[in-house]
Amino acid sequence: MKKMSLLFSLLAMGLSASAQKINIYHKGWVDFNKNGRMDVFEDPKQTIDKRVEDLLSQMNVDEKTCQMATLYGYKRVLKDEMPVERWKTEIWKDGIANIDEELNNLTSHTDDAPTQYSYPFSKHASAINTVQKWFVEETRMGIPVDFTNEGIHGLNHDRATPLPAPIGIGSTWNKQLVRRAGQTVGREAKALGYTNVYAPILDPARDQRWGRVVECYGENPFLIAELGKQMVLGIQEEGVASTLKHYAVYSVPKGGRDGSARTDPHVAPREMHQIYLYPFRRVIQEAHPMGVMSSYNDWDGVPITGSYYFLTELLRQQFGFNGYVVSDSEAVEFIYSKHKVAGDYKEAVRQAVEAGLNVRTNFTMPQTFILPLRELIKENKISMKIIDSRVGDVLRVKFRLGLFDNPYVKDPKAADKLVHTKADADMSMQVNRESMVLLKNENKLLPLDKNKYKNILVTGPLAAETNYAVSRYGPSHNPVTTVLDGVKNYMGAAAKISYVQGCKIVDATWPESEIIDTPLTPAEQAGIDSAVAQARLSDVVIAVVGEDVDRVGESLTRTGLNLPGRQLKLIQALQATGKPVVMVMINGQPLTINWENKYLPAILEAWFPSVQSGKVIAETLFGDNNPGGKLPITFPKTTGQIEFNFPFKPNSQAGQKGQNSWGKTSVNGALYPFGYGLSYTKFEYSNLVVSPETGNSQGDVTVTVDVTNTGQRKGDDVVQLYLKDDISSVITYEYDLRGFERVSLNPGEKKTVRFTLHPDDLALLDKNMNWTVEPGTFQVWIGQSSEEIKLKKTFRVQ
């Protein structure tokens, strides 16, 4: 037997050596399995389903299970920048589903991954080809790898085109611009060798304390669906996959808590469908993304990643998703370790795979998932029918991406001309400009007159900071222009620009100082005094305050939403000088800036802008950029109001001055409502027309309205359409966003804005949880925010 074994080993080695000598690349096809003939799966003329079926029939269990796991890229899990001989003994000798963030040179607090192969861009494309070549030529079946990467702030790659934080993208309310941003992300991914981008995030940010508000498009499901759809279409138009995050009900952990919590969302079934699943359903049905990432939270006691209802019944059978599901990191492990609905990790693997998970991702070696999965198959605890179905989904995406026809980047050198071009930088700058939201402008202090202010103080802990412009989920190593430098560059020799930090972002006792006020230290008092002294010598003060990457983001939920640390004390001291104070906010979530709103004359919301932050903020403060962004999320006055968001059920956010209401015990109303944002010019609405005024439940309704710039400056306005269902069989939201359009108008210019309401826009979930358009009257409201409604008209559905 030993002799026979040795003989087979020698034969295998000989076959392997001869396979390496065989030319597998032929005109129009690749001999992936190296058998010297064109199999059905290798034939580009065959249908994808036939190719998948043929490939599956030739794969063994080891190869199939390898197509169900992620290998995290170099420095995260993979120890080698390039293939080495040892790979022949690693588990991926039988292939791998995807390699994530490979050689992207990420810089972050948690995952530094320097590499020599990220730049120039052509060097990375060639490096990806080298890794892909190993899998095509050195594995038995030659199945190409899907190279995945993050992309919510722009592609997560060294010096790729950066974008503002998603909450800033959401503030643009510009569908066409988001489509262009998606195209840029997709084109750059394709040029660099990535084939799948983890973007966009479709989670509605309903709790303003949650740390990842900064990475969401906002709180309203319709706004998120519309922008998310455009991002997916833009990415996939460039020939790469878009993977949606984070499915599902991920963004409302109890109390907004993140980190180790990330669990127990208190969401009723109807609310789940109307708010949290709505963006996923619409984007899947209208943009057909090839990927979905399953989240690591539960809903109603069942982990999402172990839920057949979520991963199969809803996602595939109802929504029509036909790509593959990848787990968020540790989502499978949490079934056992956190949620404790499995007795051991192997049982967690079984639950996830049977539920519908295709590919497991975690920051551990892929065999930690693959080996238990193989044991389950061997023990007949998972059927090969399920395995073939899960693997088939992965292979189908790889065929759709063209990896079995062209597994390599065709022209690596072209990447140097395709990534972060001048046009891309201009697009990125435009997103930055359009994300600016003007919150207050008393007595038209803004825009600042360049000729009037000759001594300008730039102060505040964010004035010279840069870290907010670089995200763990976006590009790195792009030079950043601070707000201080932006103002200096803009003004040049026209004014004297002074800088005093004033205070740090937080004090030594923060976050305890949010609940226990402590005296200023001598150093803190001196910092504020220094800023005050310089303010007295200045004509105007630009105070740059807010949060940085250590104060908001993943795992960084806050318990209070005031300006952190001593920043309010700095603002109060500056305001007491009598000099005009313009507050610029760099932050990732709504802040409860009540005192600031009451006493400061001007406030500009910049969110987490991208690397051109200083330039775009200076342009906005001095009038070259007229801010036209609108808030995609409600600013509450206090965390005691939370949940406080839009849309809301009738009277659920009422004050204490109505029917069956009395007393004076609470602060009521929003600080700034959803959809709010000022401009340096004025707009008027007229001629609202709804057609037909009486229609049927299957027909569209057309709405037109005229908007006119009645001011003296060119500017953008976001025309917002809200829909109110007067009487319904179940309680619906008071009114909800069902259309928006950003328009740019010169002084005196008028445009007609056209909306089309589809039956889905009028539908509700009835008592039997079926989407239904009920007969009755509906009101169309046109406004400049969810509270500033200008025109109304009623139509009837029979």
Side-chain angles (χ1 to χ4, degrees):
M1 288 297 290
K2 287 182 178 178
K3 287 181 179 179
M4 287 292 287
S5 178
L6 180 62
L7 179 62
F8 282 130
S9 297
L10 290 169
L11 280 169
M13 288 171 63
L15 285 169
S16 177
S18 63
Q20 291 175 26
K21 295 174 185 175
I22 295 172
N23 175 33
I24 65 171
Y25 304 102
H26 303 280
K27 187 176 181 180
W29 68 284
V30 179
D31 188 9
F32 290 99
N33 63 1
K34 307 158 193 73
N35 64 0
R37 65 173 186 270
M38 185 195 291
D39 291 273
V40 171
F41 84 90
E42 295 164 343
D43 184 356
K45 295 178 182 176
Q46 298 292 331
T47 65
I48 287 178
D49 284 345
K50 285 183 179 178
R51 297 176 79 178
V52 169
E53 183 182 5
D54 180 57
L55 178 53
L56 276 171
S57 72
Q58 298 188 42
M59 295 168 67
N60 60 39
V61 170
D62 287 356
E63 289 158 343
K64 288 175 180 178
T65 51
C66 278
Q67 291 299 315
M68 294 180 66
T70 293
L71 172 61
Y72 256 105
Y74 175 64
K75 282 285 186 181
R76 261 45 126 248
V77 168
L78 193 56
K79 295 179 174 63
D80 315 297
E81 286 184 280
M82 286 290 109
V84 294
E85 188 63 28
R86 189 185 70 257
W87 284 20
K88 295 282 187 67
T89 61
E90 295 283 5
I91 199 154
W92 53 86
K93 71 183 187 305
D94 295 308
I96 203 74
N98 53 35
I99 300 180
D100 194 24
E101 299 186 65
E102 172 70 332
L103 304 171
N104 63 355
N105 205 339
L106 172 70
T107 299
S108 84
H109 290 324
T110 54
D111 302 293
D112 250 11
T115 174
Q116 61 176 309
Y117 290 104
S118 62
Y119 189 85
F121 302 128
S122 53
K123 189 175 183 180
H124 183 268
S126 296
I128 290 290
N129 277 353
T130 301
V131 177
Q132 187 75 284
K133 193 169 189 274
W134 189 91
F135 282 91
V136 169
E137 296 183 1
E138 300 296 332
T139 64
R140 186 181 77 95
M141 294 303 298
I143 298 172
V145 172
D146 182 16
F147 287 96
T148 56
N149 199 3
E150 301 285 352
I152 61 170
H153 286 251
L155 188 70
N156 186 8
H157 188 89
D158 184 4
R159 283 167 269 198
T161 301
L163 293 173
I167 194 69
I169 296 173
S171 297
T172 69
W173 294 60
N174 189 330
K175 288 171 280 193
Q176 294 78 21
L177 188 58
V178 172
R179 180 77 158 262
R180 285 177 54 201
Q183 290 166 343
T184 297
V185 171
R187 171 171 38 80
E188 294 188 338
K190 181 87 169 177
L192 286 161
Y194 300 110
T195 48
N196 192 330
V197 179
Y198 291 161
I201 288 178
L202 295 184
D203 302 299
R206 303 288 285 179
D207 190 326
Q208 292 89 341
R209 297 166 296 182
W210 186 51
R212 299 197 85 172
V213 167
V214 65
E215 294 172 355
C216 299
Y217 288 149
E219 69 187 3
N220 182 271
F222 184 86
L223 176 66
I224 296 163
E226 290 289 305
L227 298 183
K229 172 184 172 181
Q230 298 304 322
M231 182 61 73
V232 171
L233 290 171
I235 290 171
Q236 295 201 159
E237 280 166 357
E238 301 298 324
V240 300
S242 166
T243 292
L244 311 180
K245 300 174 17 165
H246 306 86
Y247 179 81
V249 206
Y250 169 82
S251 53
V252 276
K254 184 180 178 183
R257 283 178 282 273
D258 203 351
S260 295
R262 294 170 170 161
T263 187
D264 199 19
H266 289 186
V267 178
R270 187 170 275 103
E271 181 185 16
M272 178 182 75
H273 284 277
Q274 292 179 328
I275 298 290
Y276 297 96
L277 293 177
Y278 177 92
F280 288 95
R281 174 178 67 82
R282 280 211 39 218
V283 172
I284 287 166
Q285 291 175 345
E286 296 173 27
H288 312 292
M290 293 188 228
V292 162
M293 181 180 290
S294 68
S295 56
Y296 36 55
N297 56 282
D298 66 304
W299 180 73
D300 195 25
V302 179
I304 299 295
T305 298
S307 168
Y308 184 83
Y309 172 69
F310 276 96
L311 298 193
T312 299
E313 288 183 12
L314 277 180
L315 190 61
R316 294 191 184 278
Q317 295 171 8
Q318 290 190 32
F319 298 170
F321 176 68
N322 59 3
Y324 77 79
V325 179
V326 60
S327 71
D328 202 349
S329 295
E330 272 194 282
V332 176
E333 286 77 2
F334 283 162
I335 294 172
Y336 160 63
S337 64
K338 178 183 289 188
H339 301 302
K340 300 191 183 303
V341 296
D344 54 31
Y345 175 58
K346 193 161 85 171
E347 170 60 14
V349 171
R350 187 196 67 79
Q351 288 185 23
V353 172
E354 291 210 333
L357 182 71
N358 298 102
V359 174
R360 172 271 201 177
T361 298
N362 195 11
F363 293 97
T364 59
M365 293 290 273
Q367 54 261 43
T368 58
F369 174 81
I370 292 170
L371 294 180
L373 180 58
R374 289 176 182 173
E375 288 178 17
L376 288 163
I377 295 168
K378 192 174 182 180
E379 295 163 2
N380 292 320
K381 291 180 179 175
I382 294 183
S383 72
M384 284 308 300
K385 182 179 179 181
I386 287 177
I387 296 296
D388 284 352
S389 176
R390 302 295 178 265
V391 175
D393 293 331
V394 177
L395 298 176
R396 194 170 293 107
V397 168
K398 292 186 176 185
F399 278 110
R400 288 171 66 187
L401 290 171
L403 286 171
F404 285 92
D405 303 320
N406 299 291
Y408 307 115
V409 180
K410 282 185 179 179
D411 183 5
K413 288 183 179 179
D416 293 329
K417 296 178 180 178
L418 290 171
V419 180
H420 206 155
T421 65
K422 169 66 166 59
D424 295 330
D426 291 344
M427 179 279 300
S428 173
M429 180 59 122
Q430 191 61 25
V431 178
N432 261 309
R433 288 187 180 116
E434 295 197 15
S435 70
M436 297 290 120
V437 184
L438 184 61
L439 299 180
K440 187 178 180 184
N441 193 21
E442 194 173 82
N443 298 323
K444 298 183 180 178
L445 175 60
L446 296 178
L448 297 173
D449 186 340
K450 189 175 181 179
N451 299 314
K452 181 179 178 182
Y453 300 104
K454 298 302 180 183
N455 290 286
I456 299 173
L457 171 62
V458 180
T459 185
L462 275 300
E465 182 56 75
T466 61
N467 69 20
Y468 60 79
V470 181
S471 166
R472 156 72 181 84
Y473 295 100
S476 52
H477 306 113
N478 285 309
V480 181
T481 303
T482 66
V483 178
L484 174 61
D485 286 339
V487 174
K488 283 182 176 178
N489 296 340
Y490 185 88
M491 294 302 291
K496 178 187 175 185
I497 310 299
S498 303
Y499 167 68
V500 179
Q501 186 185 47
C503 69
K504 294 181 178 178
I505 294 171
V506 296
D507 61 280
T509 64
W510 191 86
E512 188 184 53
S513 59
E514 289 193 327
I515 58 173
I516 300 175
D517 193 21
T518 54
L520 294 172
T521 65
E524 289 171 340
Q525 188 65 61
I528 291 176
D529 290 346
S530 179
V532 167
Q534 190 59 50
R536 290 196 176 106
L537 301 175
S538 304
D539 301 320
V540 67
V541 178
I542 298 172
V544 190
V545 295
E547 304 167 306
D548 66 353
V549 294
D550 294 318
R551 252 49 65 174
V552 60
E554 190 170 11
S555 300
L556 299 175
T557 297
R558 289 187 59 188
T559 42
L561 289 174
N562 293 335
L563 286 174
R566 310 301 194 185
Q567 294 185 61
L568 177 56
K569 286 183 167 59
L570 171 64
I571 291 291
Q572 290 172 331
L574 292 169
Q575 189 266 350
T577 65
K579 297 300 175 79
V581 178
V582 178
M583 188 170 85
V584 175
M585 291 172 58
I586 290 178
N587 53 299
Q589 59 206 127
L591 299 182
T592 48
I593 50 168
N594 296 285
W595 190 96
E596 300 89 327
N597 178 67
K598 186 170 183 177
Y599 293 107
L600 297 184
I603 303 174
L604 178 69
E605 174 60 87
W607 297 116
F608 271 17
S610 191
V611 297
Q612 317 98 322
S613 55
K615 186 175 191 297
V616 72
I617 288 169
E619 287 181 350
T620 306
L621 294 178
F622 290 94
D624 287 357
N625 176 50
N626 187 350
K630 301 283 187 176
L631 293 180
I633 186 168
T634 302
F635 276 50
K637 292 176 178 176
T638 168
T639 53
Q641 293 173 290
I642 294 173
E643 295 180 4
F644 197 86
N645 41 38
F646 185 87
F648 51 86
K649 294 289 178 69
N651 301 305
S652 63
Q653 293 181 183
Q656 295 179 300
K657 294 181 180 179
Q659 183 182 5
N660 195 34
S661 179
W662 58 86
K664 193 175 182 182
T665 59
S666 63
V667 173
N668 299 304
L671 180 61
Y672 309 112
F674 173 78
Y676 172 84
L678 304 175
S679 172
Y680 297 154
T681 189
K682 291 184 177 180
F683 302 93
E684 288 185 1
Y685 296 167
S686 61
N687 196 27
L688 174 61
V689 177
V690 178
S691 176
E693 293 188 359
T694 301
N696 63 66
S697 62
Q698 302 303 311
D700 290 344
V701 176
T702 300
V703 178
T704 58
V705 64
D706 293 339
V707 55
T708 306
N709 182 346
T710 58
Q712 304 301 311
R713 288 176 175 268
K714 180 181 179 180
D716 290 5
D717 194 25
V718 178
V719 184
Q720 301 166 40
L721 186 157
Y722 296 91
L723 191 68
K724 180 178 176 65
D725 188 348
D726 286 331
I727 302 293
S728 51
S729 61
V730 296
I731 298 172
T732 58
Y733 294 96
E734 180 77 30
Y735 56 105
D736 202 357
L737 184 71
R738 281 297 179 261
F740 61 90
E741 202 66 47
R742 183 165 180 148
V743 292
S744 185
L745 296 169
N746 291 312
E749 186 180 5
K750 178 169 72 173
K751 284 184 180 177
T752 299
V753 178
R754 179 188 179 94
F755 300 100
T756 301
L757 293 171
H758 305 293
D760 186 69
D761 296 319
L762 279 59
L764 54 74
L765 274 172
D766 66 15
K767 291 179 180 179
N768 297 315
M769 295 297 284
N770 294 315
W771 288 102
T772 307
V773 179
E774 295 183 339
T777 57
F778 293 81
Q779 296 181 41
V780 170
W781 295 2
I782 299 292
Q784 288 185 294
S785 80
S786 59
E787 290 187 3
E788 194 173 354
I789 304 300
K790 302 293 188 180
L791 300 171
K792 295 183 180 182
K793 201 136 196 177
T794 298
F795 67 93
R796 177 176 292 278
V797 172
Q798 293 182 330

